[in-house]
Amino acid sequence: MRNAHYTSRVTLDVHPAAGIPFMVSDFLIQDVLDKWRCGVSVDVANMDEIVQNAVYLMESPEEAAKMGELGKAAYGQEYNWENEEEKLRSLFDKLKSCS
């Protein structure tokens, strides 16, 4: 489970920035997919669903390209390192004030 959460963060940084649609477990970053429509979520225990979605992305280049562009927009507007830096600095400041 821990690796899946780490992978989701990497996926959210690398793939959208490159304009690549992605597939993640249905229990990860669903809010991002609902908001940005930049990838698909699947039940990792359902191999048929995984294959079906992978084939869909490969056979639907226009839709995959659209997801890729939406991912670039998401990364540029919300999930870039500059925004993450602000969140981390804020968290560190709060932690400092608690000690």
Side-chain angles (χ1 to χ4, degrees):
M1 192 70 124
R2 193 184 81 203
N3 286 342
H5 287 284
Y6 176 75
T7 301
S8 71
R9 186 64 232 176
V10 170
T11 296
L12 194 53
D13 290 338
V14 175
H15 293 87
I20 301 169
F22 56 91
M23 190 171 6
V24 294
S25 299
D26 59 359
F27 61 88
L28 297 173
I29 64 171
Q30 190 62 49
D31 57 327
V32 173
L33 293 178
D34 289 344
K35 180 177 180 179
W36 291 98
R37 306 282 185 214
C38 53
V40 295
S41 62
V42 295
D43 177 355
V44 295
N46 185 337
M47 187 56 68
D48 290 336
E49 183 179 346
I50 294 169
V51 170
Q52 181 182 16
N53 278 281
V55 168
Y56 171 75
L57 288 173
M58 290 187 298
E59 292 181 348
S60 305
E62 298 86 15
E63 184 65 22
K66 181 179 174 185
M67 287 181 184
E69 289 303 314
L70 291 169
K72 276 186 181 179
Y75 183 82
Q77 294 176 29
E78 197 165 335
Y79 299 104
N80 57 62
W81 281 111
E82 289 79 17
N83 288 346
E84 294 303 310
E85 177 185 17
E86 290 177 30
K87 293 175 192 174
L88 285 172
R89 288 187 185 275
S90 176
L91 174 63
F92 292 150
D93 289 343
K94 287 178 186 175
L95 291 173
K96 274 196 235 177
S97 67
C98 291
S99 56

